[in-house]
Short mmCIF file of all heavy atoms in Angstrom, two decimals:
data_model
loop_
_atom_site.label_atom_id
_atom_site.label_comp_id
_atom_site.label_asym_id
_atom_site.label_seq_id
_atom_site.Cartn_x
_atom_site.Cartn_y
_atom_site.Cartn_z
N LEU A 31 -7.91 -18.17 31.46
CA LEU A 31 -7.14 -18.95 32.43
C LEU A 31 -6.32 -18.02 33.32
O LEU A 31 -6.26 -18.22 34.54
CB LEU A 31 -6.22 -19.95 31.72
CG LEU A 31 -5.34 -20.80 32.64
CD1 LEU A 31 -6.19 -21.64 33.59
CD2 LEU A 31 -4.40 -21.69 31.84
N ILE A 32 -5.71 -17.01 32.73
CA ILE A 32 -4.94 -16.04 33.52
C ILE A 32 -5.86 -15.33 34.51
O ILE A 32 -5.50 -15.11 35.68
CB ILE A 32 -4.23 -15.04 32.60
CG1 ILE A 32 -3.07 -15.73 31.88
CG2 ILE A 32 -3.73 -13.82 33.37
CD1 ILE A 32 -2.44 -14.91 30.79
N LYS A 33 -7.06 -14.99 34.07
CA LYS A 33 -8.03 -14.34 34.97
C LYS A 33 -8.37 -15.26 36.13
O LYS A 33 -8.48 -14.82 37.29
CB LYS A 33 -9.30 -13.99 34.18
CG LYS A 33 -10.29 -13.15 34.96
CD LYS A 33 -11.45 -12.72 34.06
CE LYS A 33 -12.42 -11.82 34.83
NZ LYS A 33 -13.54 -11.37 33.96
N LYS A 34 -8.53 -16.56 35.85
CA LYS A 34 -8.83 -17.54 36.89
C LYS A 34 -7.65 -17.68 37.86
O LYS A 34 -7.85 -17.71 39.08
CB LYS A 34 -9.13 -18.89 36.23
CG LYS A 34 -9.35 -20.05 37.20
CD LYS A 34 -10.63 -19.91 37.98
CE LYS A 34 -10.91 -21.17 38.80
NZ LYS A 34 -12.13 -21.02 39.64
N LEU A 35 -6.43 -17.76 37.33
CA LEU A 35 -5.24 -17.89 38.18
C LEU A 35 -5.11 -16.68 39.10
O LEU A 35 -4.79 -16.81 40.27
CB LEU A 35 -3.98 -18.04 37.32
CG LEU A 35 -3.87 -19.32 36.48
CD1 LEU A 35 -2.60 -19.28 35.63
CD2 LEU A 35 -3.87 -20.56 37.36
N GLU A 36 -5.37 -15.51 38.54
CA GLU A 36 -5.29 -14.28 39.34
C GLU A 36 -6.35 -14.30 40.45
O GLU A 36 -6.06 -13.95 41.60
CB GLU A 36 -5.50 -13.07 38.44
CG GLU A 36 -5.35 -11.75 39.16
CD GLU A 36 -5.71 -10.57 38.28
OE1 GLU A 36 -6.30 -10.77 37.21
OE2 GLU A 36 -5.41 -9.44 38.69
N ALA A 37 -7.57 -14.71 40.10
CA ALA A 37 -8.65 -14.75 41.09
C ALA A 37 -8.36 -15.75 42.21
O ALA A 37 -8.70 -15.51 43.37
CB ALA A 37 -9.97 -15.11 40.40
N GLU A 38 -7.71 -16.86 41.85
CA GLU A 38 -7.39 -17.90 42.85
C GLU A 38 -6.12 -17.57 43.62
O GLU A 38 -5.79 -18.23 44.60
CB GLU A 38 -7.22 -19.26 42.15
CG GLU A 38 -8.48 -19.80 41.51
CD GLU A 38 -9.48 -20.31 42.52
OE1 GLU A 38 -9.11 -20.50 43.69
OE2 GLU A 38 -10.65 -20.53 42.15
N GLY A 39 -5.37 -16.56 43.17
CA GLY A 39 -4.12 -16.20 43.84
C GLY A 39 -2.98 -17.16 43.52
O GLY A 39 -2.02 -17.29 44.28
N ILE A 40 -3.08 -17.86 42.38
CA ILE A 40 -2.05 -18.83 41.98
C ILE A 40 -1.02 -18.12 41.11
O ILE A 40 -1.34 -17.55 40.07
CB ILE A 40 -2.68 -20.00 41.19
CG1 ILE A 40 -3.65 -20.76 42.09
CG2 ILE A 40 -1.61 -20.93 40.65
CD1 ILE A 40 -4.43 -21.84 41.38
N GLY A 41 0.25 -18.16 41.53
CA GLY A 41 1.30 -17.53 40.74
C GLY A 41 1.31 -16.02 40.90
O GLY A 41 0.56 -15.44 41.69
N ARG A 42 2.17 -15.40 40.13
CA ARG A 42 2.35 -13.95 40.14
C ARG A 42 2.51 -13.47 38.70
O ARG A 42 2.62 -14.29 37.78
CB ARG A 42 3.58 -13.58 40.98
CG ARG A 42 3.35 -13.64 42.49
CD ARG A 42 2.31 -12.61 42.92
NE ARG A 42 2.03 -12.62 44.35
CZ ARG A 42 0.99 -13.19 44.90
NH1 ARG A 42 0.11 -13.84 44.15
NH2 ARG A 42 0.77 -13.13 46.21
N PRO A 43 2.51 -12.17 38.45
CA PRO A 43 2.57 -11.66 37.07
C PRO A 43 3.66 -12.30 36.22
O PRO A 43 3.46 -12.55 35.03
CB PRO A 43 2.83 -10.16 37.27
CG PRO A 43 2.21 -9.86 38.59
CD PRO A 43 2.42 -11.07 39.44
N SER A 44 4.81 -12.58 36.82
CA SER A 44 5.92 -13.13 36.04
C SER A 44 5.73 -14.60 35.69
O SER A 44 6.46 -15.13 34.85
CB SER A 44 7.23 -12.96 36.82
OG SER A 44 7.15 -13.64 38.07
N THR A 45 4.75 -15.28 36.32
CA THR A 45 4.63 -16.73 36.12
C THR A 45 3.50 -17.14 35.18
O THR A 45 3.47 -18.29 34.73
CB THR A 45 4.41 -17.46 37.47
OG1 THR A 45 3.15 -17.04 38.04
CG2 THR A 45 5.54 -17.15 38.44
N TYR A 46 2.55 -16.25 34.89
CA TYR A 46 1.38 -16.64 34.09
C TYR A 46 1.78 -17.19 32.72
O TYR A 46 1.43 -18.31 32.36
CB TYR A 46 0.41 -15.47 33.91
CG TYR A 46 -0.16 -14.90 35.19
CD1 TYR A 46 -0.31 -13.54 35.36
CD2 TYR A 46 -0.55 -15.74 36.23
CE1 TYR A 46 -0.84 -13.01 36.54
CE2 TYR A 46 -1.07 -15.22 37.42
CZ TYR A 46 -1.21 -13.85 37.56
OH TYR A 46 -1.72 -13.33 38.72
N ALA A 47 2.50 -16.40 31.95
CA ALA A 47 2.88 -16.83 30.59
C ALA A 47 3.81 -18.05 30.61
O ALA A 47 3.57 -19.00 29.85
CB ALA A 47 3.52 -15.66 29.83
N PRO A 48 4.87 -18.08 31.45
CA PRO A 48 5.74 -19.26 31.46
C PRO A 48 5.01 -20.54 31.87
O PRO A 48 5.34 -21.62 31.37
CB PRO A 48 6.82 -18.90 32.50
CG PRO A 48 6.84 -17.42 32.55
CD PRO A 48 5.42 -17.00 32.30
N THR A 49 4.03 -20.44 32.75
CA THR A 49 3.29 -21.64 33.18
C THR A 49 2.53 -22.25 32.00
O THR A 49 2.57 -23.47 31.78
CB THR A 49 2.30 -21.29 34.31
OG1 THR A 49 3.04 -20.82 35.44
CG2 THR A 49 1.48 -22.50 34.72
N ILE A 50 1.85 -21.42 31.23
CA ILE A 50 1.11 -21.92 30.06
C ILE A 50 2.08 -22.50 29.04
O ILE A 50 1.83 -23.57 28.46
CB ILE A 50 0.26 -20.79 29.44
CG1 ILE A 50 -0.83 -20.36 30.43
CG2 ILE A 50 -0.37 -21.24 28.13
CD1 ILE A 50 -1.61 -19.13 30.01
N SER A 51 3.22 -21.85 28.83
CA SER A 51 4.23 -22.35 27.89
C SER A 51 4.77 -23.70 28.33
O SER A 51 4.98 -24.60 27.51
CB SER A 51 5.38 -21.34 27.76
OG SER A 51 4.93 -20.13 27.20
N THR A 52 5.01 -23.88 29.64
CA THR A 52 5.52 -25.15 30.16
C THR A 52 4.50 -26.27 29.95
O THR A 52 4.86 -27.38 29.55
CB THR A 52 5.84 -25.02 31.66
OG1 THR A 52 6.85 -24.03 31.84
CG2 THR A 52 6.35 -26.34 32.23
N LEU A 53 3.23 -26.00 30.21
CA LEU A 53 2.20 -27.01 30.00
C LEU A 53 2.12 -27.44 28.54
O LEU A 53 1.90 -28.62 28.23
CB LEU A 53 0.84 -26.48 30.47
CG LEU A 53 0.68 -26.26 31.98
CD1 LEU A 53 -0.67 -25.63 32.28
CD2 LEU A 53 0.84 -27.56 32.75
N GLN A 54 2.32 -26.48 27.63
CA GLN A 54 2.36 -26.82 26.20
C GLN A 54 3.59 -27.65 25.87
O GLN A 54 3.50 -28.66 25.17
CB GLN A 54 2.38 -25.54 25.36
CG GLN A 54 1.01 -24.93 25.12
CD GLN A 54 1.09 -23.75 24.17
OE1 GLN A 54 1.48 -22.65 24.54
NE2 GLN A 54 0.76 -23.98 22.93
N ALA A 55 4.74 -27.22 26.38
CA ALA A 55 6.00 -27.90 26.07
C ALA A 55 5.99 -29.34 26.58
O ALA A 55 6.61 -30.22 25.95
CB ALA A 55 7.16 -27.14 26.68
N ARG A 56 5.31 -29.60 27.70
CA ARG A 56 5.25 -30.96 28.27
C ARG A 56 4.11 -31.78 27.66
O ARG A 56 3.85 -32.89 28.11
CB ARG A 56 5.06 -30.87 29.78
CG ARG A 56 6.21 -30.19 30.52
CD ARG A 56 7.47 -31.00 30.43
NE ARG A 56 8.56 -30.39 31.20
CZ ARG A 56 9.80 -30.85 31.22
NH1 ARG A 56 10.10 -31.91 30.51
NH2 ARG A 56 10.73 -30.25 31.93
N SER A 57 3.44 -31.23 26.65
CA SER A 57 2.32 -31.92 25.98
C SER A 57 1.17 -32.22 26.93
O SER A 57 0.44 -33.19 26.76
CB SER A 57 2.80 -33.21 25.30
OG SER A 57 3.75 -32.91 24.30
N TYR A 58 0.99 -31.39 27.96
CA TYR A 58 -0.16 -31.51 28.84
C TYR A 58 -1.39 -30.85 28.23
O TYR A 58 -2.51 -31.22 28.54
CB TYR A 58 0.13 -30.86 30.20
CG TYR A 58 1.04 -31.65 31.10
CD1 TYR A 58 2.04 -31.03 31.83
CD2 TYR A 58 0.89 -33.02 31.26
CE1 TYR A 58 2.87 -31.75 32.68
CE2 TYR A 58 1.71 -33.75 32.10
CZ TYR A 58 2.70 -33.11 32.81
OH TYR A 58 3.51 -33.83 33.65
N ILE A 59 -1.17 -29.84 27.41
CA ILE A 59 -2.28 -29.12 26.79
C ILE A 59 -1.98 -28.84 25.32
O ILE A 59 -0.81 -28.79 24.91
CB ILE A 59 -2.58 -27.78 27.50
CG1 ILE A 59 -1.38 -26.83 27.41
CG2 ILE A 59 -3.02 -27.99 28.94
CD1 ILE A 59 -1.67 -25.40 27.87
N ASN A 60 -3.04 -28.68 24.55
CA ASN A 60 -2.95 -28.13 23.20
C ASN A 60 -3.83 -26.89 23.15
O ASN A 60 -4.83 -26.82 23.88
CB ASN A 60 -3.44 -29.14 22.16
CG ASN A 60 -2.53 -30.35 22.06
OD1 ASN A 60 -1.31 -30.21 22.00
ND2 ASN A 60 -3.11 -31.55 22.06
N ILE A 61 -3.47 -25.93 22.33
CA ILE A 61 -4.31 -24.75 22.15
C ILE A 61 -4.92 -24.83 20.76
O ILE A 61 -4.22 -24.74 19.76
CB ILE A 61 -3.51 -23.45 22.36
CG1 ILE A 61 -2.99 -23.40 23.80
CG2 ILE A 61 -4.38 -22.23 22.08
CD1 ILE A 61 -2.17 -22.18 24.14
N GLU A 62 -6.22 -25.06 20.73
CA GLU A 62 -6.95 -25.25 19.48
C GLU A 62 -8.02 -24.19 19.35
O GLU A 62 -8.91 -24.09 20.20
CB GLU A 62 -7.58 -26.65 19.44
CG GLU A 62 -6.57 -27.78 19.58
CD GLU A 62 -7.22 -29.14 19.73
OE1 GLU A 62 -8.47 -29.20 19.67
OE2 GLU A 62 -6.49 -30.13 19.91
N LYS A 63 -7.93 -23.40 18.29
CA LYS A 63 -8.88 -22.31 18.06
C LYS A 63 -9.01 -21.42 19.30
O LYS A 63 -10.09 -21.07 19.74
CB LYS A 63 -10.26 -22.86 17.66
CG LYS A 63 -10.24 -23.62 16.36
CD LYS A 63 -11.61 -24.15 16.00
CE LYS A 63 -11.57 -24.92 14.69
NZ LYS A 63 -12.88 -25.49 14.35
N ARG A 64 -7.85 -21.13 19.90
CA ARG A 64 -7.71 -20.24 21.05
C ARG A 64 -8.33 -20.83 22.33
O ARG A 64 -8.53 -20.13 23.30
CB ARG A 64 -8.29 -18.86 20.75
CG ARG A 64 -7.55 -18.15 19.61
CD ARG A 64 -8.16 -16.82 19.26
NE ARG A 64 -7.96 -15.85 20.31
CZ ARG A 64 -8.34 -14.58 20.24
NH1 ARG A 64 -8.95 -14.15 19.14
NH2 ARG A 64 -8.14 -13.75 21.23
N GLN A 65 -8.62 -22.14 22.31
CA GLN A 65 -9.11 -22.81 23.50
C GLN A 65 -8.06 -23.79 24.01
O GLN A 65 -7.37 -24.45 23.23
CB GLN A 65 -10.41 -23.58 23.20
CG GLN A 65 -11.60 -22.68 22.92
CD GLN A 65 -12.87 -23.49 22.78
OE1 GLN A 65 -12.88 -24.58 22.22
NE2 GLN A 65 -13.97 -22.96 23.30
N ILE A 66 -7.95 -23.91 25.35
CA ILE A 66 -6.97 -24.81 25.96
C ILE A 66 -7.61 -26.18 26.17
O ILE A 66 -8.61 -26.30 26.88
CB ILE A 66 -6.46 -24.25 27.30
CG1 ILE A 66 -5.76 -22.90 27.06
CG2 ILE A 66 -5.52 -25.23 27.97
CD1 ILE A 66 -5.33 -22.20 28.33
N VAL A 67 -7.03 -27.19 25.51
CA VAL A 67 -7.57 -28.56 25.57
C VAL A 67 -6.54 -29.46 26.24
O VAL A 67 -5.42 -29.59 25.75
CB VAL A 67 -7.88 -29.09 24.16
CG1 VAL A 67 -8.53 -30.47 24.25
CG2 VAL A 67 -8.79 -28.12 23.40
N PRO A 68 -6.88 -30.09 27.38
CA PRO A 68 -5.93 -30.99 28.03
C PRO A 68 -5.78 -32.29 27.24
O PRO A 68 -6.74 -32.79 26.65
CB PRO A 68 -6.56 -31.24 29.41
CG PRO A 68 -8.02 -31.03 29.20
CD PRO A 68 -8.15 -29.97 28.14
N THR A 69 -4.58 -32.86 27.25
CA THR A 69 -4.33 -34.12 26.57
C THR A 69 -4.66 -35.28 27.51
O THR A 69 -4.95 -35.09 28.69
CB THR A 69 -2.87 -34.22 26.13
OG1 THR A 69 -2.03 -34.15 27.30
CG2 THR A 69 -2.49 -33.08 25.19
N GLU A 70 -4.58 -36.50 26.97
CA GLU A 70 -4.89 -37.69 27.78
C GLU A 70 -3.95 -37.80 28.98
O GLU A 70 -4.38 -38.12 30.08
CB GLU A 70 -4.77 -38.94 26.89
CG GLU A 70 -5.16 -40.22 27.61
CD GLU A 70 -5.03 -41.43 26.71
OE1 GLU A 70 -4.83 -41.26 25.49
OE2 GLU A 70 -5.13 -42.55 27.24
N VAL A 71 -2.67 -37.51 28.75
CA VAL A 71 -1.71 -37.65 29.85
C VAL A 71 -1.99 -36.63 30.96
O VAL A 71 -1.68 -36.88 32.12
CB VAL A 71 -0.26 -37.52 29.32
CG1 VAL A 71 0.07 -36.08 28.95
CG2 VAL A 71 0.75 -38.03 30.34
N ALA A 72 -2.60 -35.50 30.63
CA ALA A 72 -2.93 -34.49 31.65
C ALA A 72 -3.91 -35.07 32.68
O ALA A 72 -3.79 -34.81 33.88
CB ALA A 72 -3.53 -33.26 30.99
N PHE A 73 -4.88 -35.86 32.20
CA PHE A 73 -5.84 -36.49 33.11
C PHE A 73 -5.14 -37.51 34.00
O PHE A 73 -5.39 -37.58 35.21
CB PHE A 73 -6.96 -37.16 32.32
CG PHE A 73 -7.95 -36.21 31.72
CD1 PHE A 73 -7.75 -35.68 30.45
CD2 PHE A 73 -9.07 -35.81 32.42
CE1 PHE A 73 -8.65 -34.79 29.90
CE2 PHE A 73 -9.98 -34.92 31.88
CZ PHE A 73 -9.77 -34.40 30.61
N THR A 74 -4.26 -38.32 33.40
CA THR A 74 -3.56 -39.36 34.15
C THR A 74 -2.71 -38.75 35.25
O THR A 74 -2.72 -39.20 36.40
CB THR A 74 -2.69 -40.20 33.21
OG1 THR A 74 -3.49 -40.69 32.12
CG2 THR A 74 -2.07 -41.38 33.93
N VAL A 75 -1.95 -37.71 34.90
CA VAL A 75 -1.08 -37.05 35.87
C VAL A 75 -1.90 -36.39 36.98
O VAL A 75 -1.59 -36.53 38.18
CB VAL A 75 -0.17 -36.01 35.17
CG1 VAL A 75 0.53 -35.12 36.19
CG2 VAL A 75 0.85 -36.70 34.28
N THR A 76 -2.95 -35.69 36.59
CA THR A 76 -3.78 -35.00 37.59
C THR A 76 -4.44 -35.98 38.55
O THR A 76 -4.48 -35.75 39.76
CB THR A 76 -4.85 -34.13 36.89
OG1 THR A 76 -4.20 -33.18 36.04
CG2 THR A 76 -5.71 -33.39 37.89
N GLU A 77 -4.94 -37.10 38.02
CA GLU A 77 -5.57 -38.11 38.87
C GLU A 77 -4.56 -38.68 39.87
O GLU A 77 -4.88 -38.90 41.04
CB GLU A 77 -6.17 -39.21 38.01
CG GLU A 77 -7.45 -38.78 37.30
CD GLU A 77 -7.82 -39.72 36.16
OE1 GLU A 77 -7.19 -40.80 36.04
OE2 GLU A 77 -8.73 -39.37 35.38
N LEU A 78 -3.34 -38.95 39.42
CA LEU A 78 -2.31 -39.47 40.32
C LEU A 78 -1.99 -38.46 41.42
O LEU A 78 -1.89 -38.81 42.60
CB LEU A 78 -1.05 -39.81 39.52
CG LEU A 78 0.12 -40.44 40.29
CD1 LEU A 78 0.91 -41.38 39.39
CD2 LEU A 78 1.06 -39.39 40.87
#
């Protein structure tokens, strides 16, 4: 994901780790077996 964010020019070095932490803290994602899995609310928010 960090590689993708860097390629897209989204964020800067100081924002990569905090962004992932925020998404976890807001229950938008879970990290299962080192894979990022979006929750149901992530789809609802993104669609809106």
